[in-house]
Amino acid sequence: MADLLPPLTAAQVDAKTKVDEKVDYSNLPSPVPYEELHREAFMSLKADNFEGLRFDFTKALNQKFSLSHSVMMGPTEVPSQSAETIKIPTAHYEFGANYFEPKLMLIGRVMTDGRLNARLKADLTDKLIVKANAQITNEPHLSHAMFNFDYMGSDYRAQLQLGNSALIGATYIQSVTNRLSLGGEVFWAGVPRKSGIGYAARYESDKMVATAQVASTGAVVMNYVQKISEKVSLATDFMFNYFSRDVTASVGYDYILRQARVRGKIDSNGVASALVEERLSMGLNFLLSAELDHKKKDYKFGFGLTVG
Amino acid sequence: MESTISLKTKGKGKGSKGASSSDDKSKFDFVKEWSNWSLKKAKVATHYGFIPLIIIIGMNSDPKPNLFQLLSPV
C-alpha cells in the first residue's frame, strides 16, 4: 500500500506543472450563462441607441439601497402595418428603487402611466439562483412575468424558465474544454402553439470570442469578437433566418477610453449607429446617440445626461 | 297557490341546476379557478406593493438612512 502512494503524488505534481499544455478535464471553469452567450458581441453591436432626451438621476441612500429618477422625452415608435414607421412624441417620468445585496437584488421601476417593471434575483443556495422579471400594466392581458431557476454545477449550468401564458423553456450549457462550451435550449409556448429547440457553441480565448447559435425557428446567429487591446475591441455578426430568408451582417467597434466610451456599428441593412458616453466628472456622464437608417430614411438622434 | 307553484318550480330549477353544477365542477376546475383568483390577487399586490416593499427593505438595511434622505431630491 505504501508503495502505491508515492507514484500518485508524483503524477499529480507533473499534471500541475504541465497545466498550460494539458487540459484538466476534471476541473473545467464554469461556462457563461446561456443567455449571455453573445455578451461580448452585443456590447458593441447592440448598444442601446435612443432618440430624444434622456436624463437619469440615481441617488444612493446607502451602499445597498438607491432611488432613481428618469425623464425621457422624444418620439417613440408605434408598430404599424405599413412599411413606414409611425412615431408619436411622448414624455414620461420613471421612478425606480434598487436594493442590492450579495444574495438578493430587487429592482423596481414605475412609470407615470402605471406600468411597473420589476426584477428580482435571489441566491437561494450556493448553486441555485432564482430570477423573476415582470412587466405589469393597468390594461388587462398585457402583463407578463417570467421566472428563471438557474442551477450552477462545477462545469455546467442548467436553467428552467417559466412564463405566463404557458411558456416553458430549459437551457443547458457545458464547458467541454477550457475554451469551448456547448449548450442547447428547448422551449414550448402555449399561446401560439409552438415549440423549438436550439444549439449553441462558444469558443473563447484571451483575445477573441466566437459564438454560434442555431434554433429550430430558423434563426442562425454567428459572431466573432476580437480584443485588439485593452481599449479597443472589434466585433462582427452574421444572422440569417432560413425560413424567411432574412440576412443581416454587421461590423462594430467598442473603444473604452479613459474619459469616454464610443461604440458604433454599421449594418448590411444600411443602418449606421454610434453611442458616445463621456464622463464629464465624477458621477456625471454625457450621452450622445445617433442611428441613421438610410434604407427606411429614419434618422434618430438622442442626447442625455446620467447623474450618479 | 300560484305563488307556491312558482316557488316550487323555482326551487326545483335551482335544485337541478345545483346538482348538475356540482357534477360538472370537478376538482381540477376548482383548482384552476382558485389559481386564477390567486394569480389576479398576486398581480394586483405586486403592482401596488413591489416598490413600497423595496423601499421598506432599503430603509431597514444598515446604515439606516433617514426619511429626509428618502424624500429630498438632493
Side-chain angles (χ1 to χ4, degrees), chain A residues 57 59 61-62 65 67 97 99 106-109 114 116 118 136-138 143, chain B residues 43 46-47 50-51 54-55 57-59 61-63 65-66 69-70 72-74:
Chain A
F57 173 55
K59 180 174 150 185
L61 279 99
N62 68 28
F65 178 50
L67 296 175
Y99 181 73
L106 294 168
I107 295 182
R109 297 267 182 277
L116 172 74
I136 303 184
T137 60
N138 278 328
S143 321
Chain B
K43 179 192 156 195
T46 314
H47 201 168
F50 193 73
I51 299 242
I54 301 181
I55 292 180
I57 294 180
M59 293 301 277
S61 66
D62 49 28
N66 55 14
Q69 275 180 308
L70 179 71
S72 85
V74 180

PDB file of all heavy atoms in Angstrom, chain A residues 57 59 61-62 65 67 97 99 106-109 114 116 118 136-138 143, chain B residues 43 46-47 50-51 54-55 57-59 61-63 65-66 69-70 72-74:
ATOM      1  N   PHE A  57     -31.168  60.146 -12.969  1.00  0.00           N
ATOM      2  CA  PHE A  57     -30.552  60.596 -11.725  1.00  0.00           C
ATOM      3  C   PHE A  57     -30.665  59.463 -10.719  1.00  0.00           C
ATOM      4  O   PHE A  57     -31.760  59.024 -10.406  1.00  0.00           O
ATOM      5  CB  PHE A  57     -31.282  61.849 -11.236  1.00  0.00           C
ATOM      6  CG  PHE A  57     -30.856  62.305  -9.896  1.00  0.00           C
ATOM      7  CD1 PHE A  57     -29.525  62.563  -9.629  1.00  0.00           C
ATOM      8  CD2 PHE A  57     -31.776  62.490  -8.888  1.00  0.00           C
ATOM      9  CE1 PHE A  57     -29.123  62.993  -8.382  1.00  0.00           C
ATOM     10  CE2 PHE A  57     -31.383  62.929  -7.634  1.00  0.00           C
ATOM     11  CZ  PHE A  57     -30.053  63.186  -7.381  1.00  0.00           C
ATOM     12  N   LYS A  59     -29.802  58.249  -6.929  1.00  0.00           N
ATOM     13  CA  LYS A  59     -29.401  58.769  -5.629  1.00  0.00           C
ATOM     14  C   LYS A  59     -29.207  57.594  -4.690  1.00  0.00           C
ATOM     15  O   LYS A  59     -30.135  56.842  -4.434  1.00  0.00           O
ATOM     16  CB  LYS A  59     -30.519  59.665  -5.122  1.00  0.00           C
ATOM     17  CG  LYS A  59     -30.241  60.265  -3.800  1.00  0.00           C
ATOM     18  CD  LYS A  59     -31.332  61.220  -3.476  1.00  0.00           C
ATOM     19  CE  LYS A  59     -31.489  61.260  -1.985  1.00  0.00           C
ATOM     20  NZ  LYS A  59     -32.586  62.052  -1.597  1.00  0.00           N
ATOM     21  N   LEU A  61     -28.834  56.029  -1.196  1.00  0.00           N
ATOM     22  CA  LEU A  61     -29.077  56.369   0.200  1.00  0.00           C
ATOM     23  C   LEU A  61     -28.131  55.648   1.123  1.00  0.00           C
ATOM     24  O   LEU A  61     -27.747  56.155   2.152  1.00  0.00           O
ATOM     25  CB  LEU A  61     -30.523  56.022   0.589  1.00  0.00           C
ATOM     26  CG  LEU A  61     -31.515  57.062   0.154  1.00  0.00           C
ATOM     27  CD1 LEU A  61     -32.178  56.659  -1.100  1.00  0.00           C
ATOM     28  CD2 LEU A  61     -32.531  57.315   1.195  1.00  0.00           C
ATOM     29  N   ASN A  62     -27.804  54.402   0.770  1.00  0.00           N
ATOM     30  CA  ASN A  62     -26.675  53.790   1.439  1.00  0.00           C
ATOM     31  C   ASN A  62     -26.075  52.810   0.449  1.00  0.00           C
ATOM     32  O   ASN A  62     -26.439  52.819  -0.723  1.00  0.00           O
ATOM     33  CB  ASN A  62     -27.056  53.190   2.798  1.00  0.00           C
ATOM     34  CG  ASN A  62     -27.949  51.992   2.718  1.00  0.00           C
ATOM     35  OD1 ASN A  62     -27.927  51.264   1.750  1.00  0.00           O
ATOM     36  ND2 ASN A  62     -28.762  51.773   3.735  1.00  0.00           N
ATOM     37  N   PHE A  65     -28.993  50.481  -1.040  1.00  0.00           N
ATOM     38  CA  PHE A  65     -30.311  50.963  -1.438  1.00  0.00           C
ATOM     39  C   PHE A  65     -30.159  52.268  -2.212  1.00  0.00           C
ATOM     40  O   PHE A  65     -29.424  53.157  -1.794  1.00  0.00           O
ATOM     41  CB  PHE A  65     -31.126  51.170  -0.156  1.00  0.00           C
ATOM     42  CG  PHE A  65     -32.498  51.717  -0.369  1.00  0.00           C
ATOM     43  CD1 PHE A  65     -33.347  51.153  -1.297  1.00  0.00           C
ATOM     44  CD2 PHE A  65     -32.966  52.781   0.385  1.00  0.00           C
ATOM     45  CE1 PHE A  65     -34.620  51.640  -1.478  1.00  0.00           C
ATOM     46  CE2 PHE A  65     -34.234  53.274   0.216  1.00  0.00           C
ATOM     47  CZ  PHE A  65     -35.065  52.708  -0.716  1.00  0.00           C
ATOM     48  N   LEU A  67     -32.336  55.145  -5.044  1.00  0.00           N
ATOM     49  CA  LEU A  67     -33.553  55.531  -5.760  1.00  0.00           C
ATOM     50  C   LEU A  67     -33.126  56.131  -7.084  1.00  0.00           C
ATOM     51  O   LEU A  67     -32.075  56.752  -7.175  1.00  0.00           O
ATOM     52  CB  LEU A  67     -34.314  56.592  -4.980  1.00  0.00           C
ATOM     53  CG  LEU A  67     -34.851  56.192  -3.633  1.00  0.00           C
ATOM     54  CD1 LEU A  67     -35.457  57.399  -2.953  1.00  0.00           C
ATOM     55  CD2 LEU A  67     -35.929  55.149  -3.789  1.00  0.00           C
ATOM     56  N   ALA A  97     -36.558  52.107  -7.643  1.00  0.00           N
ATOM     57  CA  ALA A  97     -35.889  51.804  -6.386  1.00  0.00           C
ATOM     58  C   ALA A  97     -35.067  50.548  -6.601  1.00  0.00           C
ATOM     59  O   ALA A  97     -35.529  49.605  -7.235  1.00  0.00           O
ATOM     60  CB  ALA A  97     -36.925  51.567  -5.288  1.00  0.00           C
ATOM     61  N   TYR A  99     -32.362  47.685  -4.704  1.00  0.00           N
ATOM     62  CA  TYR A  99     -31.775  47.165  -3.476  1.00  0.00           C
ATOM     63  C   TYR A  99     -30.803  46.077  -3.878  1.00  0.00           C
ATOM     64  O   TYR A  99     -31.197  45.089  -4.484  1.00  0.00           O
ATOM     65  CB  TYR A  99     -32.863  46.604  -2.558  1.00  0.00           C
ATOM     66  CG  TYR A  99     -32.330  46.081  -1.274  1.00  0.00           C
ATOM     67  CD1 TYR A  99     -31.894  46.945  -0.288  1.00  0.00           C
ATOM     68  CD2 TYR A  99     -32.231  44.723  -1.036  1.00  0.00           C
ATOM     69  CE1 TYR A  99     -31.374  46.477   0.897  1.00  0.00           C
ATOM     70  CE2 TYR A  99     -31.717  44.255   0.139  1.00  0.00           C
ATOM     71  CZ  TYR A  99     -31.285  45.130   1.109  1.00  0.00           C
ATOM     72  OH  TYR A  99     -30.777  44.667   2.270  1.00  0.00           O
ATOM     73  N   LEU A 106     -33.137  43.531  -5.860  1.00  0.00           N
ATOM     74  CA  LEU A 106     -34.515  43.894  -6.215  1.00  0.00           C
ATOM     75  C   LEU A 106     -34.462  45.187  -6.992  1.00  0.00           C
ATOM     76  O   LEU A 106     -33.841  46.145  -6.560  1.00  0.00           O
ATOM     77  CB  LEU A 106     -35.346  44.135  -4.947  1.00  0.00           C
ATOM     78  CG  LEU A 106     -35.616  42.970  -4.034  1.00  0.00           C
ATOM     79  CD1 LEU A 106     -36.172  43.475  -2.729  1.00  0.00           C
ATOM     80  CD2 LEU A 106     -36.629  42.056  -4.661  1.00  0.00           C
ATOM     81  N   ILE A 107     -35.087  45.219  -8.136  1.00  0.00           N
ATOM     82  CA  ILE A 107     -35.120  46.446  -8.942  1.00  0.00           C
ATOM     83  C   ILE A 107     -36.558  46.679  -9.344  1.00  0.00           C
ATOM     84  O   ILE A 107     -37.204  45.785  -9.889  1.00  0.00           O
ATOM     85  CB  ILE A 107     -34.241  46.290 -10.194  1.00  0.00           C
ATOM     86  CG1 ILE A 107     -32.791  46.129  -9.807  1.00  0.00           C
ATOM     87  CG2 ILE A 107     -34.394  47.489 -11.103  1.00  0.00           C
ATOM     88  CD1 ILE A 107     -31.874  46.016 -10.986  1.00  0.00           C
ATOM     89  N   GLY A 108     -37.059  47.873  -9.082  1.00  0.00           N
ATOM     90  CA  GLY A 108     -38.430  48.181  -9.482  1.00  0.00           C
ATOM     91  C   GLY A 108     -38.468  49.530 -10.156  1.00  0.00           C
ATOM     92  O   GLY A 108     -37.798  50.457  -9.732  1.00  0.00           O
ATOM     93  N   ARG A 109     -39.247  49.609 -11.246  1.00  0.00           N
ATOM     94  CA  ARG A 109     -39.356  50.875 -11.964  1.00  0.00           C
ATOM     95  C   ARG A 109     -40.820  51.092 -12.259  1.00  0.00           C
ATOM     96  O   ARG A 109     -41.467  50.206 -12.807  1.00  0.00           O
ATOM     97  CB  ARG A 109     -38.620  50.807 -13.309  1.00  0.00           C
ATOM     98  CG  ARG A 109     -37.154  50.587 -13.227  1.00  0.00           C
ATOM     99  CD  ARG A 109     -36.417  51.902 -13.223  1.00  0.00           C
ATOM    100  NE  ARG A 109     -34.993  51.707 -13.180  1.00  0.00           N
ATOM    101  CZ  ARG A 109     -34.290  51.480 -12.079  1.00  0.00           C
ATOM    102  NH1 ARG A 109     -34.891  51.407 -10.939  1.00  0.00           N
ATOM    103  NH2 ARG A 109     -32.996  51.312 -12.152  1.00  0.00           N
ATOM    104  N   GLY A 114     -48.444  54.096 -14.966  1.00  0.00           N
ATOM    105  CA  GLY A 114     -48.813  52.963 -14.121  1.00  0.00           C
ATOM    106  C   GLY A 114     -48.134  51.662 -14.463  1.00  0.00           C
ATOM    107  O   GLY A 114     -48.388  50.638 -13.857  1.00  0.00           O
ATOM    108  N   LEU A 116     -45.390  48.902 -14.306  1.00  0.00           N
ATOM    109  CA  LEU A 116     -44.356  48.521 -13.353  1.00  0.00           C
ATOM    110  C   LEU A 116     -43.449  47.497 -14.009  1.00  0.00           C
ATOM    111  O   LEU A 116     -43.907  46.566 -14.650  1.00  0.00           O
ATOM    112  CB  LEU A 116     -44.999  47.906 -12.111  1.00  0.00           C
ATOM    113  CG  LEU A 116     -44.050  47.282 -11.106  1.00  0.00           C
ATOM    114  CD1 LEU A 116     -43.326  48.360 -10.369  1.00  0.00           C
ATOM    115  CD2 LEU A 116     -44.807  46.417 -10.136  1.00  0.00           C
ATOM    116  N   ALA A 118     -40.570  45.017 -12.768  1.00  0.00           N
ATOM    117  CA  ALA A 118     -39.994  44.514 -11.525  1.00  0.00           C
ATOM    118  C   ALA A 118     -39.019  43.395 -11.828  1.00  0.00           C
ATOM    119  O   ALA A 118     -39.299  42.531 -12.646  1.00  0.00           O
ATOM    120  CB  ALA A 118     -41.104  43.984 -10.615  1.00  0.00           C
ATOM    121  N   ILE A 136     -45.909  44.765 -15.493  1.00  0.00           N
ATOM    122  CA  ILE A 136     -47.327  44.759 -15.129  1.00  0.00           C
ATOM    123  C   ILE A 136     -47.925  46.087 -15.557  1.00  0.00           C
ATOM    124  O   ILE A 136     -47.370  47.149 -15.259  1.00  0.00           O
ATOM    125  CB  ILE A 136     -47.480  44.562 -13.614  1.00  0.00           C
ATOM    126  CG1 ILE A 136     -46.779  43.279 -13.204  1.00  0.00           C
ATOM    127  CG2 ILE A 136     -48.940  44.484 -13.240  1.00  0.00           C
ATOM    128  CD1 ILE A 136     -46.949  42.937 -11.763  1.00  0.00           C
ATOM    129  N   THR A 137     -49.025  46.010 -16.275  1.00  0.00           N
ATOM    130  CA  THR A 137     -49.691  47.227 -16.730  1.00  0.00           C
ATOM    131  C   THR A 137     -51.117  47.248 -16.197  1.00  0.00           C
ATOM    132  O   THR A 137     -51.631  46.242 -15.722  1.00  0.00           O
ATOM    133  CB  THR A 137     -49.772  47.264 -18.259  1.00  0.00           C
ATOM    134  OG1 THR A 137     -50.514  46.127 -18.673  1.00  0.00           O
ATOM    135  CG2 THR A 137     -48.428  47.227 -18.889  1.00  0.00           C
ATOM    136  N   ASN A 138     -51.745  48.415 -16.336  1.00  0.00           N
ATOM    137  CA  ASN A 138     -53.125  48.518 -15.890  1.00  0.00           C
ATOM    138  C   ASN A 138     -54.074  47.852 -16.862  1.00  0.00           C
ATOM    139  O   ASN A 138     -55.143  47.399 -16.471  1.00  0.00           O
ATOM    140  CB  ASN A 138     -53.518  49.992 -15.738  1.00  0.00           C
ATOM    141  CG  ASN A 138     -53.052  50.543 -14.426  1.00  0.00           C
ATOM    142  OD1 ASN A 138     -53.000  49.815 -13.446  1.00  0.00           O
ATOM    143  ND2 ASN A 138     -52.692  51.812 -14.416  1.00  0.00           N
ATOM    144  N   SER A 143     -49.938  42.114 -19.280  1.00  0.00           N
ATOM    145  CA  SER A 143     -48.810  41.975 -18.350  1.00  0.00           C
ATOM    146  C   SER A 143     -48.140  40.646 -18.594  1.00  0.00           C
ATOM    147  O   SER A 143     -48.808  39.678 -18.953  1.00  0.00           O
ATOM    148  CB  SER A 143     -49.310  41.982 -16.912  1.00  0.00           C
ATOM    149  OG  SER A 143     -50.331  42.893 -16.771  1.00  0.00           O
TER     150      SER A 143
ATOM    151  N   LYS B  43     -51.103  39.608  -8.827  1.00  0.00           N
ATOM    152  CA  LYS B  43     -50.719  40.641  -9.780  1.00  0.00           C
ATOM    153  C   LYS B  43     -51.019  42.021  -9.207  1.00  0.00           C
ATOM    154  O   LYS B  43     -50.188  42.923  -9.288  1.00  0.00           O
ATOM    155  CB  LYS B  43     -51.473  40.430 -11.091  1.00  0.00           C
ATOM    156  CG  LYS B  43     -51.143  41.480 -12.109  1.00  0.00           C
ATOM    157  CD  LYS B  43     -52.094  41.451 -13.290  1.00  0.00           C
ATOM    158  CE  LYS B  43     -52.089  42.827 -13.916  1.00  0.00           C
ATOM    159  NZ  LYS B  43     -53.139  43.110 -14.822  1.00  0.00           N
ATOM    160  N   THR B  46     -48.528  42.766  -6.401  1.00  0.00           N
ATOM    161  CA  THR B  46     -47.200  43.130  -6.906  1.00  0.00           C
ATOM    162  C   THR B  46     -47.225  44.515  -7.502  1.00  0.00           C
ATOM    163  O   THR B  46     -46.319  45.307  -7.306  1.00  0.00           O
ATOM    164  CB  THR B  46     -46.758  42.135  -7.985  1.00  0.00           C
ATOM    165  OG1 THR B  46     -47.006  40.828  -7.537  1.00  0.00           O
ATOM    166  CG2 THR B  46     -45.301  42.284  -8.282  1.00  0.00           C
ATOM    167  N   HIS B  47     -48.284  44.822  -8.230  1.00  0.00           N
ATOM    168  CA  HIS B  47     -48.363  46.114  -8.898  1.00  0.00           C
ATOM    169  C   HIS B  47     -48.311  47.255  -7.900  1.00  0.00           C
ATOM    170  O   HIS B  47     -47.610  48.224  -8.090  1.00  0.00           O
ATOM    171  CB  HIS B  47     -49.666  46.170  -9.697  1.00  0.00           C
ATOM    172  CG  HIS B  47     -49.666  47.181 -10.785  1.00  0.00           C
ATOM    173  ND1 HIS B  47     -50.649  47.224 -11.753  1.00  0.00           N
ATOM    174  CD2 HIS B  47     -48.834  48.191 -11.082  1.00  0.00           C
ATOM    175  CE1 HIS B  47     -50.404  48.223 -12.586  1.00  0.00           C
ATOM    176  NE2 HIS B  47     -49.306  48.817 -12.202  1.00  0.00           N
ATOM    177  N   PHE B  50     -44.771  46.298  -4.860  1.00  0.00           N
ATOM    178  CA  PHE B  50     -43.359  45.942  -5.075  1.00  0.00           C
ATOM    179  C   PHE B  50     -42.430  47.087  -4.733  1.00  0.00           C
ATOM    180  O   PHE B  50     -41.449  46.908  -4.017  1.00  0.00           O
ATOM    181  CB  PHE B  50     -43.149  45.506  -6.519  1.00  0.00           C
ATOM    182  CG  PHE B  50     -41.838  44.850  -6.758  1.00  0.00           C
ATOM    183  CD1 PHE B  50     -41.601  43.568  -6.305  1.00  0.00           C
ATOM    184  CD2 PHE B  50     -40.826  45.506  -7.436  1.00  0.00           C
ATOM    185  CE1 PHE B  50     -40.392  42.950  -6.516  1.00  0.00           C
ATOM    186  CE2 PHE B  50     -39.615  44.888  -7.651  1.00  0.00           C
ATOM    187  CZ  PHE B  50     -39.398  43.612  -7.192  1.00  0.00           C
ATOM    188  N   ILE B  51     -42.732  48.274  -5.233  1.00  0.00           N
ATOM    189  CA  ILE B  51     -41.841  49.402  -4.939  1.00  0.00           C
ATOM    190  C   ILE B  51     -41.878  49.753  -3.452  1.00  0.00           C
ATOM    191  O   ILE B  51     -40.817  49.961  -2.858  1.00  0.00           O
ATOM    192  CB  ILE B  51     -42.159  50.597  -5.840  1.00  0.00           C
ATOM    193  CG1 ILE B  51     -41.945  50.184  -7.276  1.00  0.00           C
ATOM    194  CG2 ILE B  51     -41.384  51.819  -5.452  1.00  0.00           C
ATOM    195  CD1 ILE B  51     -40.918  50.905  -8.047  1.00  0.00           C
ATOM    196  N   ILE B  54     -39.571  47.357  -1.714  1.00  0.00           N
ATOM    197  CA  ILE B  54     -38.146  47.651  -1.854  1.00  0.00           C
ATOM    198  C   ILE B  54     -37.770  48.806  -0.941  1.00  0.00           C
ATOM    199  O   ILE B  54     -36.705  48.791  -0.307  1.00  0.00           O
ATOM    200  CB  ILE B  54     -37.786  48.003  -3.307  1.00  0.00           C
ATOM    201  CG1 ILE B  54     -38.142  46.880  -4.249  1.00  0.00           C
ATOM    202  CG2 ILE B  54     -36.327  48.322  -3.434  1.00  0.00           C
ATOM    203  CD1 ILE B  54     -37.771  47.181  -5.677  1.00  0.00           C
ATOM    204  N   ILE B  55     -38.646  49.796  -0.862  1.00  0.00           N
ATOM    205  CA  ILE B  55     -38.325  50.957  -0.024  1.00  0.00           C
ATOM    206  C   ILE B  55     -38.263  50.551   1.440  1.00  0.00           C
ATOM    207  O   ILE B  55     -37.348  50.964   2.163  1.00  0.00           O
ATOM    208  CB  ILE B  55     -39.343  52.082  -0.263  1.00  0.00           C
ATOM    209  CG1 ILE B  55     -39.161  52.633  -1.678  1.00  0.00           C
ATOM    210  CG2 ILE B  55     -39.199  53.178   0.749  1.00  0.00           C
ATOM    211  CD1 ILE B  55     -40.087  53.725  -2.037  1.00  0.00           C
ATOM    212  N   ILE B  57     -37.556  47.544   2.671  1.00  0.00           N
ATOM    213  CA  ILE B  57     -36.357  46.746   2.906  1.00  0.00           C
ATOM    214  C   ILE B  57     -35.127  47.644   2.905  1.00  0.00           C
ATOM    215  O   ILE B  57     -34.214  47.492   3.705  1.00  0.00           O
ATOM    216  CB  ILE B  57     -36.219  45.646   1.830  1.00  0.00           C
ATOM    217  CG1 ILE B  57     -37.348  44.650   1.950  1.00  0.00           C
ATOM    218  CG2 ILE B  57     -34.896  44.945   1.933  1.00  0.00           C
ATOM    219  CD1 ILE B  57     -37.272  43.538   0.917  1.00  0.00           C
ATOM    220  N   GLY B  58     -35.112  48.622   2.015  1.00  0.00           N
ATOM    221  CA  GLY B  58     -33.951  49.503   1.921  1.00  0.00           C
ATOM    222  C   GLY B  58     -33.827  50.417   3.127  1.00  0.00           C
ATOM    223  O   GLY B  58     -32.718  50.636   3.631  1.00  0.00           O
ATOM    224  N   MET B  59     -34.956  50.918   3.616  1.00  0.00           N
ATOM    225  CA  MET B  59     -34.881  51.821   4.757  1.00  0.00           C
ATOM    226  C   MET B  59     -34.510  51.078   6.031  1.00  0.00           C
ATOM    227  O   MET B  59     -34.100  51.697   6.989  1.00  0.00           O
ATOM    228  CB  MET B  59     -36.223  52.539   4.969  1.00  0.00           C
ATOM    229  CG  MET B  59     -36.582  53.505   3.875  1.00  0.00           C
ATOM    230  SD  MET B  59     -35.390  54.797   3.633  1.00  0.00           S
ATOM    231  CE  MET B  59     -35.885  55.954   4.878  1.00  0.00           C
ATOM    232  N   SER B  61     -32.245  48.572   6.017  1.00  0.00           N
ATOM    233  CA  SER B  61     -30.903  47.987   5.917  1.00  0.00           C
ATOM    234  C   SER B  61     -29.945  48.933   6.601  1.00  0.00           C
ATOM    235  O   SER B  61     -30.225  50.109   6.760  1.00  0.00           O
ATOM    236  CB  SER B  61     -30.527  47.812   4.461  1.00  0.00           C
ATOM    237  OG  SER B  61     -30.394  49.063   3.834  1.00  0.00           O
ATOM    238  N   ASP B  62     -28.762  48.417   6.995  1.00  0.00           N
ATOM    239  CA  ASP B  62     -27.865  49.360   7.671  1.00  0.00           C
ATOM    240  C   ASP B  62     -26.695  49.753   6.796  1.00  0.00           C
ATOM    241  O   ASP B  62     -26.230  48.936   6.021  1.00  0.00           O
ATOM    242  CB  ASP B  62     -27.400  48.825   9.025  1.00  0.00           C
ATOM    243  CG  ASP B  62     -26.877  47.410   8.968  1.00  0.00           C
ATOM    244  OD1 ASP B  62     -26.377  46.983   7.926  1.00  0.00           O
ATOM    245  OD2 ASP B  62     -26.985  46.737   9.990  1.00  0.00           O
ATOM    246  N   PRO B  63     -26.177  50.974   6.882  1.00  0.00           N
ATOM    247  CA  PRO B  63     -26.560  52.030   7.815  1.00  0.00           C
ATOM    248  C   PRO B  63     -27.932  52.601   7.473  1.00  0.00           C
ATOM    249  O   PRO B  63     -28.206  52.885   6.333  1.00  0.00           O
ATOM    250  CB  PRO B  63     -25.476  53.099   7.614  1.00  0.00           C
ATOM    251  CG  PRO B  63     -24.961  52.874   6.256  1.00  0.00           C
ATOM    252  CD  PRO B  63     -25.104  51.404   5.973  1.00  0.00           C
ATOM    253  N   PRO B  65     -30.792  54.738   6.506  1.00  0.00           N
ATOM    254  CA  PRO B  65     -30.974  56.114   6.043  1.00  0.00           C
ATOM    255  C   PRO B  65     -32.202  56.727   6.703  1.00  0.00           C
ATOM    256  O   PRO B  65     -33.103  56.021   7.130  1.00  0.00           O
ATOM    257  CB  PRO B  65     -31.185  55.951   4.531  1.00  0.00           C
ATOM    258  CG  PRO B  65     -31.631  54.570   4.333  1.00  0.00           C
ATOM    259  CD  PRO B  65     -31.197  53.751   5.491  1.00  0.00           C
ATOM    260  N   ASN B  66     -32.246  58.034   6.779  1.00  0.00           N
ATOM    261  CA  ASN B  66     -33.417  58.619   7.428  1.00  0.00           C
ATOM    262  C   ASN B  66     -34.411  59.129   6.391  1.00  0.00           C
ATOM    263  O   ASN B  66     -34.132  59.173   5.196  1.00  0.00           O
ATOM    264  CB  ASN B  66     -33.033  59.700   8.437  1.00  0.00           C
ATOM    265  CG  ASN B  66     -32.175  60.764   7.784  1.00  0.00           C
ATOM    266  OD1 ASN B  66     -32.079  60.840   6.573  1.00  0.00           O
ATOM    267  ND2 ASN B  66     -31.543  61.569   8.604  1.00  0.00           N
ATOM    268  N   GLN B  69     -33.666  61.841   3.770  1.00  0.00           N
ATOM    269  CA  GLN B  69     -32.859  61.441   2.614  1.00  0.00           C
ATOM    270  C   GLN B  69     -33.724  60.770   1.547  1.00  0.00           C
ATOM    271  O   GLN B  69     -33.446  60.860   0.366  1.00  0.00           O
ATOM    272  CB  GLN B  69     -31.781  60.450   3.039  1.00  0.00           C
ATOM    273  CG  GLN B  69     -30.541  61.089   3.562  1.00  0.00           C
ATOM    274  CD  GLN B  69     -29.541  60.010   3.954  1.00  0.00           C
ATOM    275  OE1 GLN B  69     -29.865  59.100   4.705  1.00  0.00           O
ATOM    276  NE2 GLN B  69     -28.354  60.124   3.450  1.00  0.00           N
ATOM    277  N   LEU B  70     -34.768  60.102   2.004  1.00  0.00           N
ATOM    278  CA  LEU B  70     -35.636  59.420   1.040  1.00  0.00           C
ATOM    279  C   LEU B  70     -36.425  60.436   0.229  1.00  0.00           C
ATOM    280  O   LEU B  70     -36.615  60.282  -0.969  1.00  0.00           O
ATOM    281  CB  LEU B  70     -36.586  58.487   1.797  1.00  0.00           C
ATOM    282  CG  LEU B  70     -37.572  57.700   0.973  1.00  0.00           C
ATOM    283  CD1 LEU B  70     -36.866  56.628   0.196  1.00  0.00           C
ATOM    284  CD2 LEU B  70     -38.621  57.069   1.856  1.00  0.00           C
ATOM    285  N   SER B  72     -35.975  63.923  -0.045  1.00  0.00           N
ATOM    286  CA  SER B  72     -35.406  65.134  -0.659  1.00  0.00           C
ATOM    287  C   SER B  72     -34.845  64.800  -2.022  1.00  0.00           C
ATOM    288  O   SER B  72     -34.325  63.711  -2.249  1.00  0.00           O
ATOM    289  CB  SER B  72     -34.300  65.693   0.230  1.00  0.00           C
ATOM    290  OG  SER B  72     -33.099  65.043  -0.061  1.00  0.00           O
ATOM    291  N   PRO B  73     -34.914  65.718  -2.962  1.00  0.00           N
ATOM    292  CA  PRO B  73     -34.402  65.448  -4.307  1.00  0.00           C
ATOM    293  C   PRO B  73     -32.906  65.523  -4.419  1.00  0.00           C
ATOM    294  O   PRO B  73     -32.353  65.169  -5.438  1.00  0.00           O
ATOM    295  CB  PRO B  73     -35.062  66.537  -5.154  1.00  0.00           C
ATOM    296  CG  PRO B  73     -35.346  67.635  -4.218  1.00  0.00           C
ATOM    297  CD  PRO B  73     -35.576  67.030  -2.880  1.00  0.00           C
ATOM    298  N   VAL B  74     -32.233  66.040  -3.402  1.00  0.00           N
ATOM    299  CA  VAL B  74     -30.771  66.162  -3.484  1.00  0.00           C
ATOM    300  C   VAL B  74     -30.157  64.940  -2.841  1.00  0.00           C
ATOM    301  O   VAL B  74     -29.459  64.189  -3.447  1.00  0.00           O
ATOM    302  CB  VAL B  74     -30.271  67.419  -2.749  1.00  0.00           C
ATOM    303  CG1 VAL B  74     -28.767  67.504  -2.846  1.00  0.00           C
ATOM    304  CG2 VAL B  74     -30.914  68.650  -3.376  1.00  0.00           C
TER     305      VAL B  74
END
